[in-house]
Amino acid sequence: MVIKKPPADDFPPSDPDNPEYYTDTIKTIPVEDIGLVILDNQQIIVTSALLTALLDNNCAIITCDQRHLPTGLLLTLYGNSIQAERHLQQIEISLPLKKQLWQQTIQAKIKNQAALLSTIPGAETGNMRAWAQSVKSGDSDNLEGRAAAYYWKTLFVDNPKFTRDDDDIVNAMLNYGYAIIRALVARAIVGVGLIPTIGIHHHNRYDAYCLADDIMEPYRPYVDRLVVEKVNSGCLPVTMDTATKKDLLELATKEVVIDGYRRPLMLAISQTVNSLYKCFAGEIRKLSFPSLGA
């Protein structure tokens, strides 16, 4: 894929054999090395051939609106050569297995939230760790919600009244980061041959990525950590500027610890989703999630 700067006039040279054609070229990137593309400007023009090449290489493509907020996600239809078989395995899993997998997911999420809170001066985390250990099958006691209420009240020391409903820069950064994680999870789900629409807990007739919404939960604290660091640095941007978006996008390559090994977050997501498929196939009974406190 060739990335070019905007032309100096409305009629740039159109002949690739013309030396001037490449005057404004920034760099060339092998398509197979790209896992995620964010189209964050209303003036971007992408050819059908490029979209096809990106999708052929299982690249997730996010589109943004006029406010530069993610609004759409494009994924390949054929992510795995035996996806029909895996679709059937996913559809036929039992309700008890779904509940057990959701239990593991929420336990991992609360543990990672507790690990992040442990870096906040004066924050109590014993309750969070106790809740993580007490999650029942299917999280029937809604300990996820109880933990979330305490977590958001405690996470931002200088703003104890913070809520996820606020329309501010902190929530804008969180939402942007979550959109990136969601796209990476959806990409991995399609790549392993599963259906992103059919979740183990989330279910919404209007949501095409219920399974991605499930599996991304333990990864949210990695976004939270980056935002907390921005807030505590005293250099909080006024708007979602390019530098902030770049920092959030680099989450994909940040190292995390999963199953005792350090992996870039994007590869850890693939490892998590692969363990999910093995659970659906009856090969294992436990999901692999990263540990933020490791």
Side-chain angles (χ1 to χ4, degrees), residues 104-129:
Q104 295 175 31
T105 302
I106 296 307
Q107 286 176 330
K109 177 183 181 179
I110 297 177
K111 286 178 181 178
N112 282 346
Q113 288 177 326
L116 179 55
L117 282 186
S118 69
T119 67
I120 306 299
E124 170 60 43
T125 60
N127 53 349
M128 294 283 288
R129 300 184 191 280

PDB file of all heavy atoms in Angstrom, residues 104-129:
ATOM      1  N   GLN A 104     -15.368 -16.555  33.447  1.00  0.00           N
ATOM      2  CA  GLN A 104     -13.924 -16.380  33.304  1.00  0.00           C
ATOM      3  C   GLN A 104     -13.586 -14.993  32.755  1.00  0.00           C
ATOM      4  O   GLN A 104     -12.616 -14.353  33.183  1.00  0.00           O
ATOM      5  CB  GLN A 104     -13.358 -17.449  32.371  1.00  0.00           C
ATOM      6  CG  GLN A 104     -13.459 -18.869  32.891  1.00  0.00           C
ATOM      7  CD  GLN A 104     -12.999 -19.883  31.860  1.00  0.00           C
ATOM      8  OE1 GLN A 104     -12.123 -19.603  31.036  1.00  0.00           O
ATOM      9  NE2 GLN A 104     -13.583 -21.074  31.894  1.00  0.00           N
ATOM     10  N   THR A 105     -14.405 -14.530  31.818  1.00  0.00           N
ATOM     11  CA  THR A 105     -14.173 -13.212  31.206  1.00  0.00           C
ATOM     12  C   THR A 105     -14.292 -12.100  32.236  1.00  0.00           C
ATOM     13  O   THR A 105     -13.439 -11.195  32.307  1.00  0.00           O
ATOM     14  CB  THR A 105     -15.177 -12.982  30.059  1.00  0.00           C
ATOM     15  OG1 THR A 105     -15.030 -14.026  29.082  1.00  0.00           O
ATOM     16  CG2 THR A 105     -14.949 -11.635  29.392  1.00  0.00           C
ATOM     17  N   ILE A 106     -15.342 -12.152  33.061  1.00  0.00           N
ATOM     18  CA  ILE A 106     -15.549 -11.106  34.064  1.00  0.00           C
ATOM     19  C   ILE A 106     -14.504 -11.189  35.171  1.00  0.00           C
ATOM     20  O   ILE A 106     -14.035 -10.163  35.686  1.00  0.00           O
ATOM     21  CB  ILE A 106     -16.970 -11.187  34.636  1.00  0.00           C
ATOM     22  CG1 ILE A 106     -17.986 -10.896  33.525  1.00  0.00           C
ATOM     23  CG2 ILE A 106     -17.156 -10.204  35.783  1.00  0.00           C
ATOM     24  CD1 ILE A 106     -17.728  -9.599  32.777  1.00  0.00           C
ATOM     25  N   GLN A 107     -14.115 -12.388  35.548  1.00  0.00           N
ATOM     26  CA  GLN A 107     -13.040 -12.533  36.534  1.00  0.00           C
ATOM     27  C   GLN A 107     -11.767 -11.862  36.035  1.00  0.00           C
ATOM     28  O   GLN A 107     -11.109 -11.114  36.781  1.00  0.00           O
ATOM     29  CB  GLN A 107     -12.783 -14.013  36.816  1.00  0.00           C
ATOM     30  CG  GLN A 107     -13.841 -14.681  37.662  1.00  0.00           C
ATOM     31  CD  GLN A 107     -13.605 -16.171  37.833  1.00  0.00           C
ATOM     32  OE1 GLN A 107     -13.036 -16.835  36.952  1.00  0.00           O
ATOM     33  NE2 GLN A 107     -14.024 -16.721  38.966  1.00  0.00           N
ATOM     34  N   ALA A 108     -11.416 -12.103  34.773  1.00  0.00           N
ATOM     35  CA  ALA A 108     -10.206 -11.502  34.203  1.00  0.00           C
ATOM     36  C   ALA A 108     -10.336  -9.987  34.120  1.00  0.00           C
ATOM     37  O   ALA A 108      -9.374  -9.250  34.390  1.00  0.00           O
ATOM     38  CB  ALA A 108      -9.941 -12.089  32.815  1.00  0.00           C
ATOM     39  N   LYS A 109     -11.521  -9.501  33.771  1.00  0.00           N
ATOM     40  CA  LYS A 109     -11.730  -8.050  33.667  1.00  0.00           C
ATOM     41  C   LYS A 109     -11.557  -7.374  35.025  1.00  0.00           C
ATOM     42  O   LYS A 109     -10.844  -6.368  35.148  1.00  0.00           O
ATOM     43  CB  LYS A 109     -13.125  -7.760  33.116  1.00  0.00           C
ATOM     44  CG  LYS A 109     -13.456  -6.265  33.045  1.00  0.00           C
ATOM     45  CD  LYS A 109     -14.875  -6.027  32.559  1.00  0.00           C
ATOM     46  CE  LYS A 109     -15.186  -4.546  32.459  1.00  0.00           C
ATOM     47  NZ  LYS A 109     -16.567  -4.290  31.971  1.00  0.00           N
ATOM     48  N   ILE A 110     -12.217  -7.921  36.048  1.00  0.00           N
ATOM     49  CA  ILE A 110     -12.139  -7.294  37.372  1.00  0.00           C
ATOM     50  C   ILE A 110     -10.718  -7.368  37.927  1.00  0.00           C
ATOM     51  O   ILE A 110     -10.235  -6.429  38.572  1.00  0.00           O
ATOM     52  CB  ILE A 110     -13.145  -7.954  38.336  1.00  0.00           C
ATOM     53  CG1 ILE A 110     -14.572  -7.732  37.847  1.00  0.00           C
ATOM     54  CG2 ILE A 110     -12.993  -7.387  39.746  1.00  0.00           C
ATOM     55  CD1 ILE A 110     -15.643  -8.417  38.691  1.00  0.00           C
ATOM     56  N   LYS A 111     -10.019  -8.479  37.689  1.00  0.00           N
ATOM     57  CA  LYS A 111      -8.628  -8.595  38.135  1.00  0.00           C
ATOM     58  C   LYS A 111      -7.763  -7.521  37.489  1.00  0.00           C
ATOM     59  O   LYS A 111      -6.909  -6.905  38.146  1.00  0.00           O
ATOM     60  CB  LYS A 111      -8.078  -9.979  37.809  1.00  0.00           C
ATOM     61  CG  LYS A 111      -8.597 -11.095  38.700  1.00  0.00           C
ATOM     62  CD  LYS A 111      -8.027 -12.437  38.270  1.00  0.00           C
ATOM     63  CE  LYS A 111      -8.568 -13.567  39.141  1.00  0.00           C
ATOM     64  NZ  LYS A 111      -8.051 -14.896  38.693  1.00  0.00           N
ATOM     65  N   ASN A 112      -7.960  -7.273  36.192  1.00  0.00           N
ATOM     66  CA  ASN A 112      -7.172  -6.247  35.513  1.00  0.00           C
ATOM     67  C   ASN A 112      -7.557  -4.849  35.980  1.00  0.00           C
ATOM     68  O   ASN A 112      -6.705  -3.961  36.094  1.00  0.00           O
ATOM     69  CB  ASN A 112      -7.347  -6.372  33.994  1.00  0.00           C
ATOM     70  CG  ASN A 112      -6.529  -7.510  33.410  1.00  0.00           C
ATOM     71  OD1 ASN A 112      -5.632  -8.046  34.069  1.00  0.00           O
ATOM     72  ND2 ASN A 112      -6.836  -7.906  32.188  1.00  0.00           N
ATOM     73  N   GLN A 113      -8.830  -4.639  36.279  1.00  0.00           N
ATOM     74  CA  GLN A 113      -9.247  -3.354  36.853  1.00  0.00           C
ATOM     75  C   GLN A 113      -8.596  -3.142  38.217  1.00  0.00           C
ATOM     76  O   GLN A 113      -8.130  -2.039  38.531  1.00  0.00           O
ATOM     77  CB  GLN A 113     -10.770  -3.308  36.976  1.00  0.00           C
ATOM     78  CG  GLN A 113     -11.508  -3.179  35.662  1.00  0.00           C
ATOM     79  CD  GLN A 113     -13.012  -3.215  35.827  1.00  0.00           C
ATOM     80  OE1 GLN A 113     -13.534  -3.910  36.699  1.00  0.00           O
ATOM     81  NE2 GLN A 113     -13.737  -2.479  34.993  1.00  0.00           N
ATOM     82  N   ALA A 114      -8.562  -4.208  39.011  1.00  0.00           N
ATOM     83  CA  ALA A 114      -7.941  -4.112  40.343  1.00  0.00           C
ATOM     84  C   ALA A 114      -6.451  -3.818  40.222  1.00  0.00           C
ATOM     85  O   ALA A 114      -5.892  -3.037  41.004  1.00  0.00           O
ATOM     86  CB  ALA A 114      -8.163  -5.408  41.116  1.00  0.00           C
ATOM     87  N   ALA A 115      -5.803  -4.447  39.242  1.00  0.00           N
ATOM     88  CA  ALA A 115      -4.374  -4.220  39.044  1.00  0.00           C
ATOM     89  C   ALA A 115      -4.099  -2.766  38.683  1.00  0.00           C
ATOM     90  O   ALA A 115      -3.121  -2.167  39.147  1.00  0.00           O
ATOM     91  CB  ALA A 115      -3.849  -5.144  37.946  1.00  0.00           C
ATOM     92  N   LEU A 116      -4.970  -2.175  37.866  1.00  0.00           N
ATOM     93  CA  LEU A 116      -4.793  -0.767  37.515  1.00  0.00           C
ATOM     94  C   LEU A 116      -5.063   0.128  38.716  1.00  0.00           C
ATOM     95  O   LEU A 116      -4.320   1.085  38.975  1.00  0.00           O
ATOM     96  CB  LEU A 116      -5.711  -0.396  36.348  1.00  0.00           C
ATOM     97  CG  LEU A 116      -5.650   1.061  35.881  1.00  0.00           C
ATOM     98  CD1 LEU A 116      -4.220   1.467  35.533  1.00  0.00           C
ATOM     99  CD2 LEU A 116      -6.569   1.279  34.676  1.00  0.00           C
ATOM    100  N   LEU A 117      -6.101  -0.187  39.478  1.00  0.00           N
ATOM    101  CA  LEU A 117      -6.405   0.618  40.674  1.00  0.00           C
ATOM    102  C   LEU A 117      -5.274   0.569  41.693  1.00  0.00           C
ATOM    103  O   LEU A 117      -5.072   1.521  42.454  1.00  0.00           O
ATOM    104  CB  LEU A 117      -7.700   0.134  41.324  1.00  0.00           C
ATOM    105  CG  LEU A 117      -9.025   0.547  40.693  1.00  0.00           C
ATOM    106  CD1 LEU A 117     -10.193   0.098  41.567  1.00  0.00           C
ATOM    107  CD2 LEU A 117      -9.085   2.060  40.478  1.00  0.00           C
ATOM    108  N   SER A 118      -4.537  -0.546  41.723  1.00  0.00           N
ATOM    109  CA  SER A 118      -3.443  -0.676  42.691  1.00  0.00           C
ATOM    110  C   SER A 118      -2.333   0.332  42.440  1.00  0.00           C
ATOM    111  O   SER A 118      -1.497   0.570  43.316  1.00  0.00           O
ATOM    112  CB  SER A 118      -2.872  -2.098  42.658  1.00  0.00           C
ATOM    113  OG  SER A 118      -2.193  -2.350  41.447  1.00  0.00           O
ATOM    114  N   THR A 119      -2.322   0.946  41.247  1.00  0.00           N
ATOM    115  CA  THR A 119      -1.320   1.971  40.940  1.00  0.00           C
ATOM    116  C   THR A 119      -1.790   3.368  41.341  1.00  0.00           C
ATOM    117  O   THR A 119      -1.021   4.323  41.238  1.00  0.00           O
ATOM    118  CB  THR A 119      -0.979   1.964  39.432  1.00  0.00           C
ATOM    119  OG1 THR A 119      -2.140   2.385  38.676  1.00  0.00           O
ATOM    120  CG2 THR A 119      -0.568   0.580  38.976  1.00  0.00           C
ATOM    121  N   ILE A 120      -3.044   3.466  41.776  1.00  0.00           N
ATOM    122  CA  ILE A 120      -3.607   4.757  42.183  1.00  0.00           C
ATOM    123  C   ILE A 120      -3.366   4.954  43.677  1.00  0.00           C
ATOM    124  O   ILE A 120      -3.772   4.117  44.488  1.00  0.00           O
ATOM    125  CB  ILE A 120      -5.121   4.812  41.902  1.00  0.00           C
ATOM    126  CG1 ILE A 120      -5.423   4.466  40.446  1.00  0.00           C
ATOM    127  CG2 ILE A 120      -5.680   6.173  42.263  1.00  0.00           C
ATOM    128  CD1 ILE A 120      -4.809   5.386  39.434  1.00  0.00           C
ATOM    129  N   PRO A 121      -2.683   6.020  44.078  1.00  0.00           N
ATOM    130  CA  PRO A 121      -2.396   6.244  45.506  1.00  0.00           C
ATOM    131  C   PRO A 121      -3.660   6.236  46.355  1.00  0.00           C
ATOM    132  O   PRO A 121      -4.636   6.932  46.053  1.00  0.00           O
ATOM    133  CB  PRO A 121      -1.732   7.627  45.518  1.00  0.00           C
ATOM    134  CG  PRO A 121      -1.166   7.787  44.147  1.00  0.00           C
ATOM    135  CD  PRO A 121      -2.115   7.089  43.227  1.00  0.00           C
ATOM    136  N   GLY A 122      -3.655   5.417  47.395  1.00  0.00           N
ATOM    137  CA  GLY A 122      -4.761   5.386  48.337  1.00  0.00           C
ATOM    138  C   GLY A 122      -5.958   4.564  47.921  1.00  0.00           C
ATOM    139  O   GLY A 122      -6.929   4.456  48.684  1.00  0.00           O
ATOM    140  N   ALA A 123      -5.907   3.971  46.730  1.00  0.00           N
ATOM    141  CA  ALA A 123      -7.061   3.200  46.267  1.00  0.00           C
ATOM    142  C   ALA A 123      -7.087   1.826  46.917  1.00  0.00           C
ATOM    143  O   ALA A 123      -6.071   1.134  46.967  1.00  0.00           O
ATOM    144  CB  ALA A 123      -7.022   3.058  44.744  1.00  0.00           C
ATOM    145  N   GLU A 124      -8.239   1.432  47.418  1.00  0.00           N
ATOM    146  CA  GLU A 124      -8.429   0.108  48.005  1.00  0.00           C
ATOM    147  C   GLU A 124      -8.765  -0.883  46.890  1.00  0.00           C
ATOM    148  O   GLU A 124      -9.623  -0.614  46.047  1.00  0.00           O
ATOM    149  CB  GLU A 124      -9.572   0.155  49.018  1.00  0.00           C
ATOM    150  CG  GLU A 124     -10.031  -1.205  49.515  1.00  0.00           C
ATOM    151  CD  GLU A 124      -8.922  -1.981  50.198  1.00  0.00           C
ATOM    152  OE1 GLU A 124      -8.170  -1.378  50.989  1.00  0.00           O
ATOM    153  OE2 GLU A 124      -8.825  -3.197  49.942  1.00  0.00           O
ATOM    154  N   THR A 125      -8.075  -2.021  46.861  1.00  0.00           N
ATOM    155  CA  THR A 125      -8.327  -3.009  45.817  1.00  0.00           C
ATOM    156  C   THR A 125      -8.728  -4.368  46.364  1.00  0.00           C
ATOM    157  O   THR A 125      -9.066  -5.266  45.588  1.00  0.00           O
ATOM    158  CB  THR A 125      -7.074  -3.191  44.928  1.00  0.00           C
ATOM    159  OG1 THR A 125      -5.975  -3.649  45.740  1.00  0.00           O
ATOM    160  CG2 THR A 125      -6.699  -1.887  44.235  1.00  0.00           C
ATOM    161  N   GLY A 126      -8.704  -4.518  47.679  1.00  0.00           N
ATOM    162  CA  GLY A 126      -9.073  -5.798  48.266  1.00  0.00           C
ATOM    163  C   GLY A 126     -10.487  -6.210  47.901  1.00  0.00           C
ATOM    164  O   GLY A 126     -10.768  -7.386  47.634  1.00  0.00           O
ATOM    165  N   ASN A 127     -11.396  -5.213  47.866  1.00  0.00           N
ATOM    166  CA  ASN A 127     -12.781  -5.515  47.507  1.00  0.00           C
ATOM    167  C   ASN A 127     -12.887  -5.996  46.055  1.00  0.00           C
ATOM    168  O   ASN A 127     -13.625  -6.936  45.748  1.00  0.00           O
ATOM    169  CB  ASN A 127     -13.675  -4.290  47.728  1.00  0.00           C
ATOM    170  CG  ASN A 127     -13.156  -3.046  47.031  1.00  0.00           C
ATOM    171  OD1 ASN A 127     -12.030  -3.008  46.549  1.00  0.00           O
ATOM    172  ND2 ASN A 127     -13.973  -2.000  46.985  1.00  0.00           N
ATOM    173  N   MET A 128     -12.114  -5.371  45.168  1.00  0.00           N
ATOM    174  CA  MET A 128     -12.139  -5.771  43.765  1.00  0.00           C
ATOM    175  C   MET A 128     -11.641  -7.203  43.595  1.00  0.00           C
ATOM    176  O   MET A 128     -12.234  -7.999  42.854  1.00  0.00           O
ATOM    177  CB  MET A 128     -11.283  -4.821  42.934  1.00  0.00           C
ATOM    178  CG  MET A 128     -11.792  -3.396  42.863  1.00  0.00           C
ATOM    179  SD  MET A 128     -13.191  -3.182  41.729  1.00  0.00           S
ATOM    180  CE  MET A 128     -12.390  -3.361  40.140  1.00  0.00           C
ATOM    181  N   ARG A 129     -10.571  -7.525  44.288  1.00  0.00           N
ATOM    182  CA  ARG A 129     -10.003  -8.875  44.163  1.00  0.00           C
ATOM    183  C   ARG A 129     -10.968  -9.917  44.752  1.00  0.00           C
ATOM    184  O   ARG A 129     -11.090 -11.025  44.233  1.00  0.00           O
ATOM    185  CB  ARG A 129      -8.643  -8.935  44.844  1.00  0.00           C
ATOM    186  CG  ARG A 129      -7.639  -7.951  44.222  1.00  0.00           C
ATOM    187  CD  ARG A 129      -6.254  -8.066  44.828  1.00  0.00           C
ATOM    188  NE  ARG A 129      -5.414  -6.956  44.398  1.00  0.00           N
ATOM    189  CZ  ARG A 129      -4.805  -6.897  43.205  1.00  0.00           C
ATOM    190  NH1 ARG A 129      -4.962  -7.878  42.335  1.00  0.00           N
ATOM    191  NH2 ARG A 129      -4.051  -5.865  42.897  1.00  0.00           N
TER     192      ARG A 129
END
